[in-house]
Amino acid sequence: MDPLVAAIDQGTSSTRFLVFNAKTAELISHHQVEIKQRFPKEGWVEEDPKEIMLSVYECIERTCEKLCQLNIDISNIKALGVTNQRETTLVWDKETGEPLYNAIVWLDLRTQPTVERLINKAPGRNKNHLKHKTGLPISTYFSAVKLRWLLDNVDEVQQAVLSRQALFGTVDSWIIWCLTGGRNGGVHCTDVSNASRTMLFNINTMAWDPELCRYFEVPMEILPKVRSSSEIYGWMKSNSLAGVPISGCLGDQSAALVGQMCFREGQAKNTYGTGCFLLRNTGTKPVMSEHGLLTTVAYKLGKNEPACYALEGSVAIAGAVVRWLKDNMGIVQSSSEIEKLAAAAGTSYGCYFVPAFSGLYAPYWEPSARGIICGLTQFTNRKHLAFAALEAVCFQTREILDAMNQDSGVPLTELQVDGGMTSNRLLMQLQADILCIPVVRPTMSETTALGVAMAAGAAEGVDVWHLRRNLAVGAERFEPQINSDESEFRFARWKKAVQKAMNWETTEPCCNTNAHFTDVRRGETHVMRQDASVIQK
């Protein structure tokens, strides 16, 4: 039997455990468990760290059972990798192993006042003040501001820091610490790709930066040790895979870049998940964007290997818009239904949807934006809205691709894609039409898990996977089918809609006068004061 390599893929909406053949990259077996998201207040998004770990254990055990049913010996699993939703922030007690608060998910907006305070103390109120070290703007998106909120607002976190019992980490750190023993000797580490998304990591020196930690007032002793993306961090301490080395760690978007074999400078991929993330490999030197993109560490595939960087465009809401249409609006009963509904319309009929539920990320970085649906007529129905939602994902990708082409000076000639939404053939065709370039989808869509399995299997001391060898992975091409003039017209309309979504949520009162409104049921006119009290007239 060929050696096998396993991958934990812990995403925003689910956890998966997948097992690959290290020689052929064939997916042998897998199991998936959905994760519950909590929305305790408007703009807040949390997940239970214990539920995350229970889902990891369940996925491992169910997959091992499936392997046994296939008469495959689980002792053939030679290594395990961890890939994860990035920026999601946890703090836990190293003595008890207990989380000190729910995980604050990357989408969360509660830190907007913290961000404004940090920007106000930056020279010239410049949100890019730290970009030369971090590659990132000061934004609610990244871990440092979430950690700052926890330190400011959660007594248990404050006390644990004072008593030197607190550990901070992103989801990868939490999973690796738990799997390697937890409070009984668990390894507290992260890799360079995840560290580069915290705003505490210097992407030039490849280390935690004391000046950045002082800026955010974060004690350095709570931070995990930073390792490469491909080396043995520790060994599984319990369950069916006890003794298997954990030897790969990559943030999910970096893992997809590796899984798509984007090892050469200029190669790019787009992942369609809860959000949408377009990464372009820029080689061994960081390239700073002039057009609203992030500079991030893509991977470092071995202790003695150089780090590679990427330009990244991040979209907050992609697959999440389908979930919103299903869970919040009841417009579809299942995620798969949206393709049929949108295909029945064949057009949005002039309806445009900007799903800025968490503000707008790249290239705008505008937290004040909010979702907007415009261009409605009496003819508009749920089919048109479904089509507009899919188009919104494609338009957001187009904005990022345009910025990336401007930064690099070399236009992309085709786009490699992956992620759960790519099973939607209509979406893929729309994407090719709106970009005016071919979209290439691998027949094996699990590129995120594949990427971290590759990193784990290639680690020194494991050596069962040879990176950069050509994998016989088939692909389907979607060629543009509309003329470029129509594409440009629709894109221009989309950009007009984006401008209408801007500056919706402000911390300032919207006006200085009391607002009047009429209660039509009673025929009474009222005055709404700025303190939200009502005076009857």
Side-chain angles (χ1 to χ4, degrees), residues 218-271:
V218 167
M220 293 187 75
E221 62 268 17
I222 72 172
L223 304 179
K225 184 178 180 182
V226 182
R227 312 275 286 270
S228 79
S229 310
S230 178
E231 61 179 271
I232 295 175
Y233 314 111
W235 288 263
M236 293 281 286
K237 281 291 193 295
S238 61
N239 72 41
S240 301
L241 299 182
V244 172
I246 301 174
S247 53
C249 180
L250 285 161
D252 52 8
Q253 304 314 317
S254 289
L257 196 72
V258 172
Q260 287 269 29
M261 305 289 285
C262 294
F263 294 126
R264 291 197 311 275
E265 191 175 331
Q267 289 184 303
K269 68 88 206 172
N270 196 29
T271 299

Side-chain angles (χ1 to χ4, degrees), residues 130-388:
L130 305 175
K131 197 171 182 180
H132 66 291
K133 283 190 171 188
T134 65
L136 313 171
I138 301 171
S139 162
T140 58
Y141 184 17
F142 306 110
S143 306
V145 290
K146 302 180 197 303
L147 177 55
R148 185 65 258 154
W149 187 91
L150 288 166
L151 291 165
D152 289 338
N153 293 279
V154 181
D155 288 341
E156 291 85 349
V157 172
Q158 294 167 359
Q159 291 305 314
V161 169
L162 286 172
S163 60
R164 297 183 175 272
Q165 287 178 229
L167 296 178
F168 153 79
T170 42
V171 173
D172 57 306
S173 297
W174 169 241
I175 291 173
I176 292 171
W177 187 80
C178 290
L179 292 181
T180 55
R183 59 182 181 166
N184 299 312
V187 177
H188 186 218
C189 70
T190 189
D191 92 300
V192 293
S193 69
N194 281 296
S196 76
R197 310 295 291 191
T198 60
M199 295 203 83
L200 301 171
F201 185 76
N202 188 319
I203 62 173
N204 303 297
T205 63
M206 300 297 286
W208 299 122
D209 189 288
E211 186 181 296
L212 291 171
C213 290
R214 281 195 297 273
Y215 189 86
F216 289 100
E217 299 177 73
V218 167
M220 293 187 75
E221 62 268 17
I222 72 172
L223 304 179
K225 184 178 180 182
V226 182
R227 312 275 286 270
S228 79
S229 310
S230 178
E231 61 179 271
I232 295 175
Y233 314 111
W235 288 263
M236 293 281 286
K237 281 291 193 295
S238 61
N239 72 41
S240 301
L241 299 182
V244 172
I246 301 174
S247 53
C249 180
L250 285 161
D252 52 8
Q253 304 314 317
S254 289
L257 196 72
V258 172
Q260 287 269 29
M261 305 289 285
C262 294
F263 294 126
R264 291 197 311 275
E265 191 175 331
Q267 289 184 303
K269 68 88 206 172
N270 196 29
T271 299
Y272 300 75
T274 299
C276 206
F277 304 90
L278 179 51
L279 271 71
R280 184 169 186 151
N281 189 327
T282 62
T284 54
K285 290 184 180 175
V287 174
M288 292 297 162
S289 173
E290 300 293 326
H291 299 92
L293 302 179
L294 309 176
T295 303
T296 195
V297 180
Y299 52 78
K300 179 176 162 63
L301 295 173
K303 290 182 195 177
N304 302 315
E305 293 295 315
C308 282
Y309 297 86
L311 278 174
E312 175 174 339
S314 311
V315 169
I317 303 294
V321 76
V322 181
R323 196 166 182 169
W324 180 82
L325 288 172
K326 178 171 72 78
D327 296 345
N328 293 36
M329 307 304 288
I331 284 175
V332 292
Q333 299 307 308
S334 65
S335 296
S336 58
E337 190 187 336
I338 194 167
E339 183 175 3
K340 294 175 189 169
L341 204 61
T347 172
S348 70
Y349 203 78
C351 171
Y352 287 82
F353 187 171
V354 182
F357 303 150
S358 300
L360 286 168
Y361 285 9
Y364 300 102
W365 297 107
E366 186 46 73
S368 71
R370 285 296 178 272
I372 188 169
I373 301 170
C374 54
L376 301 176
T377 69
Q378 284 182 307
F379 182 71
T380 308
N381 60 35
R382 68 193 191 110
K383 296 174 184 175
H384 301 122
L385 190 55
F387 194 97

